[in-house]
Amino acid sequence: MTVNAVFWGFFGTAMLMVFHSEADHRLPALKNLSYTWVDPFTLNLSWSWDRPKHLPNCTIKYEIRYLDKSVKQPARTPNHHYKASFLTESNEGKFSIHAVAEFCAGWIESKPENIFISTQKPIVNVVKDFKCSIGSSQTNCSWEPVSPSAGLNISYRISGIGENNSLKMCNQSYSCGKRNGCVLENHGPENDIYVLAENAAGLQTFKARRVILLPKLTIRENESYLYLEWTPPDIGKNCQLNYVVCYSECERDKGCPKYTSVLNTPEPLKIAYDKNCRYEFKFNATPDKYCPPIHCDGIAVEVYGNNTRVKLSDGRLTVVAIVIPLILSVGVILSCYCFRRHRAILCPTMPDPSTIFKEMMNGNKEQKTKSESLYTPVPEPVEPVTITPVN
Ligand SMILES: *[C@@H]1O[C@H](CO)[C@@H](O)[C@H](O)[C@H]1NC(C)=O
Ligand SMILES: *[C@@H]1O[C@H](CO)[C@@H](O)[C@H](O)[C@H]1NC(C)=O
Ligand SMILES: *[C@@H]1O[C@H](CO)[C@@H](O)[C@H](O)[C@H]1NC(C)=O
Ligand SMILES: *[C@@H]1O[C@H](CO)[C@@H](O)[C@H](O)[C@H]1NC(C)=O
Ligand SMILES: *[C@@H]1O[C@H](CO)[C@@H](O)[C@H](O)[C@H]1NC(C)=O
Ligand SMILES: *[C@@H]1O[C@H](CO)[C@@H](O)[C@H](O)[C@H]1NC(C)=O
Ligand SMILES: *[C@@H]1O[C@H](CO)[C@@H](O)[C@H](O)[C@H]1NC(C)=O
Ligand SMILES: *[C@@H]1O[C@H](CO)[C@@H](O)[C@H](O)[C@H]1NC(C)=O
Ligand SMILES: *[C@@H]1O[C@H](CO)[C@@H](O)[C@H](O)[C@H]1NC(C)=O
């Protein structure tokens, strides 16, 4: 036997021992995985597990992994059951559970077991664009039904898993165009709203998107400036909104200044003001990172001032600029026409004053006939007259 052979024989035995010991020390898998629905958003997962006889005195916990679109942290429990939150919008209908030994050298976690979940009704899209406006005294939720003909029920619960959180019916209290809505009972802005939407075809569960209405803009005029201020919404102590205001002055685009109202010391947004101009402000807002997870709904428009410079595009000025010259020119044309037809009456041929003067100077008293058309005398030869001044 060579040294090499001895070494390899020893090494191989050692490796076998390692593998053998590792295989011995894997915790057994969970058995009898099952679930019940506590409510439409909550599952009670349960299982059984046989403790190996030779397992030392160490703590065994069960780790539940959410196989989710949302990357949720795994949860651990020493019990043989676990209340897991489940929303059709994020859960793929699958959990994986395995046993882990805490502070137990030499023992490794069990192989995971999967459990597949099916909802009590098929998962369908019942509503779309579901949003709840918060911040006022009431929470006002609205949605668009996916298939308007199918009657649907909306129920909700405030916050996820809790002992004292019954499911409440959201009675349809209004319908506004394509959207339907209802008013929820009052609750704090920091709470999530879990919604169950059901129709004859199936159900859908999700967390409601929470929105706040854009705060009202007040515009104050002082000297040659406009001061823009927003009433701060009541959505949490440190929460503030970032505004973007796009505005025009006399219909000319003036860009989009950004504005953040500093908490407790509201400093208005200052804009140079031309008294002859109409201002149009369009704004929206985004909550900062200290706000609860909300959105601001829509874009608001506010106008201030009047365009007072004379402009042709103005309605009344158009009348002045087009209609009056038109009437005037029609009048002129008509009067020219009348003038031509009745020229004899309106304008009898006037004798040339210079001729009269000449006649007077000549002493020629010959009467001119009024109607020259009847008789035109042959012009007499007239001798040139020379006037000699008398000395
Ligand atoms: C648990 O599963 C085992 C087999 O894996 C079975 O024999 C036993 O009856 C099950 N127990 C329950 C309570 O379902
Ligand atoms: C969950 O199931 C276990 C066992 O099946 C039971 O002991 C427990 O009370 C249940 N919990 C809830 C909240 O239903
Ligand atoms: C197992 O450990 C726990 C504390 O970790 C202790 O309370 C218990 O008495 C121990 N049991 C045995 C059988 O050693
Ligand atoms: C809820 O919103 C709708 C539509 O926006 C509105 O007509 C209704 O007055 C609101 N109700 C309350 C209580 O705010
Ligand atoms: C649970 O709700 C009831 C009324 O719905 C209330 O009287 C009770 O105080 C609540 N309990 C807790 C712990 O919030
Ligand atoms: C809402 O509907 C439920 C059951 O459908 C009913 O018990 C409750 O009184 C209704 N609430 C209102 C405000 O209509
Ligand atoms: C809606 O709720 C009412 C009263 O709870 C019930 O009779 C009806 O079947 C429900 N409809 C659907 C589609 O779930
Ligand atoms: C205008 O602003 C000045 C300071 O910028 C202030 O002293 C003055 O009182 C203001 N006037 C009005 C009418 O608000
Ligand atoms: C704009 O005109 C309206 C009436 O046409 C008037 O009531 C309003 O005060 C004017 N605004 C300003 C800022 O001059």
Side-chain angles (χ1 to χ4, degrees):
M1 223 187 228
T2 60
V3 176
N4 212 13
V6 170
F7 171 77
W8 280 112
F10 181 76
F11 183 78
T13 319
M15 287 300 285
L16 258 178
M17 279 172 69
V18 166
F19 280 140
H20 191 239
S21 73
E22 226 181 49
D24 262 355
H25 287 80
R26 182 181 279 279
L27 294 172
L30 276 61
K31 289 196 298 185
N32 305 341
L33 270 67
S34 66
Y35 66 88
T36 52
W37 287 100
V38 180
D39 62 49
F41 316 108
T42 318
L43 287 167
N44 187 6
L45 302 171
S46 58
W47 55 88
S48 62
W49 189 71
D50 296 330
R51 193 180 179 95
K53 288 198 173 60
H54 53 289
L55 182 68
N57 184 15
C58 51
T59 317
I60 297 297
K61 287 212 174 141
Y62 306 95
E63 187 169 289
I64 296 96
R65 290 221 162 107
Y66 288 81
L67 304 176
D68 249 6
K69 283 177 211 154
S70 64
V71 191
K72 252 194 202 154
Q73 287 298 308
R76 283 192 179 185
T77 176
N79 303 321
H80 285 195
H81 53 87
Y82 179 74
K83 274 210 279 189
S85 76
F86 184 98
L87 295 175
T88 63
E89 74 172 345
S90 58
N91 207 290
E92 313 266 14
K94 192 164 138 190
F95 291 88
S96 115
I97 313 175
H98 62 262
V100 290
E102 284 183 349
F103 317 112
C104 208
W107 289 84
I108 57 163
E109 61 185 39
S110 73
K111 287 202 177 99
E113 287 292 311
N114 289 339
I115 178 164
F116 298 91
I117 310 296
S118 60
T119 46
Q120 283 147 321
K121 276 170 148 187
I123 298 171
V124 295
N125 281 335
V126 179
V127 292
K128 59 185 178 194
D129 191 24
F130 192 102
K131 59 187 176 191
C132 297
S133 76
I134 61 166
S136 63
S137 59
Q138 275 170 318
T139 301
N140 198 346
C141 298
S142 69
W143 62 87
E144 220 179 285
V146 170
S147 56
S149 55
L152 63 88
N153 286 343
I154 302 284
S155 33
Y156 67 95
R157 199 180 59 198
I158 306 304
S159 290
I161 300 167
E163 328 72 53
N164 207 17
N165 254 331
S166 63
L167 199 64
K168 295 188 179 66
M169 200 77 185
C170 189
N171 298 346
Q172 185 179 317
S173 55
Y174 67 83
S175 164
C176 173
K178 270 197 279 181
R179 298 182 73 82
N180 293 335
C182 67
V183 176
L184 269 54
E185 69 169 25
N186 205 5
H187 64 91
E190 66 283 350
N191 292 314
D192 286 329
I193 302 163
Y194 285 70
V195 180
L196 163 68
E198 282 181 278
N199 63 15
L203 62 77
Q204 180 186 13
T205 52
F206 53 90
K207 236 189 249 185
R209 195 165 74 95
R210 295 180 304 153
V211 300
I212 53 166
L213 297 175
L214 275 173
K216 181 115 185 62
L217 167 65
T218 45
I219 301 169
R220 200 157 45 82
E221 180 187 331
N222 181 358
E223 285 143 29
S224 53
Y225 290 98
L226 290 180
Y227 294 88
L228 276 56
E229 280 171 297
W230 287 269
T231 41
D234 180 22
I235 44 166
K237 255 196 285 182
N238 297 315
C239 166
Q240 63 187 28
L241 302 178
N242 297 317
Y243 296 89
V244 174
V245 192
C246 295
Y247 75 104
S248 63
E249 174 191 272
C250 276
E251 274 137 60
R252 279 190 309 274
D253 209 359
K254 299 289 281 182
C256 303
K258 287 189 175 66
Y259 171 73
T260 303
S261 70
V262 179
L263 284 169
N264 307 322
T265 52
E267 183 76 20
L269 178 63
K270 189 174 166 187
I271 277 169
Y273 177 48
D274 176 350
K275 283 192 166 51
N276 293 315
C277 277
R278 179 179 186 269
Y279 287 76
E280 188 177 285
F281 299 97
K282 272 188 196 149
F283 64 95
N284 67 5
T286 42
D288 73 3
K289 60 182 175 180
Y290 303 108
C291 294
I294 51 167
H295 299 84
C296 288
D297 213 16
I299 294 175
V301 177
E302 202 72 48
V303 296
Y304 190 83
N306 301 303
N307 285 339
T308 49
R309 287 202 188 95
V310 173
K311 275 173 66 238
L312 280 182
S313 64
D314 187 280
R316 276 172 299 178
L317 284 173
T318 313
V319 172
V320 174
I322 296 173
V323 176
I324 292 177
L326 202 71
I327 291 171
L328 276 177
S329 42
V330 167
V332 167
I333 290 165
L334 277 176
S335 48
C336 284
Y337 178 72
C338 291
F339 183 77
R340 280 173 68 88
R341 281 193 63 173
H342 306 284
R343 195 202 322 241
I345 302 164
L346 289 171
C347 309
T349 317
M350 298 287 274
D352 189 351
S354 62
T355 336
I356 296 170
F357 183 71
K358 271 185 195 162
E359 281 167 0
M360 279 168 70
M361 293 303 277
N362 286 344
N364 188 354
K365 304 267 166 3
E366 198 182 25
Q367 287 279 318
K368 279 211 165 181
T369 44
K370 277 223 167 119
S371 64
E372 279 173 303
S373 55
L374 290 179
Y375 168 70
T376 315
V378 182
E380 285 171 81
V382 177
E383 280 174 38
V385 179
T386 44
I387 299 164
T388 320
V390 182
N391 287 333

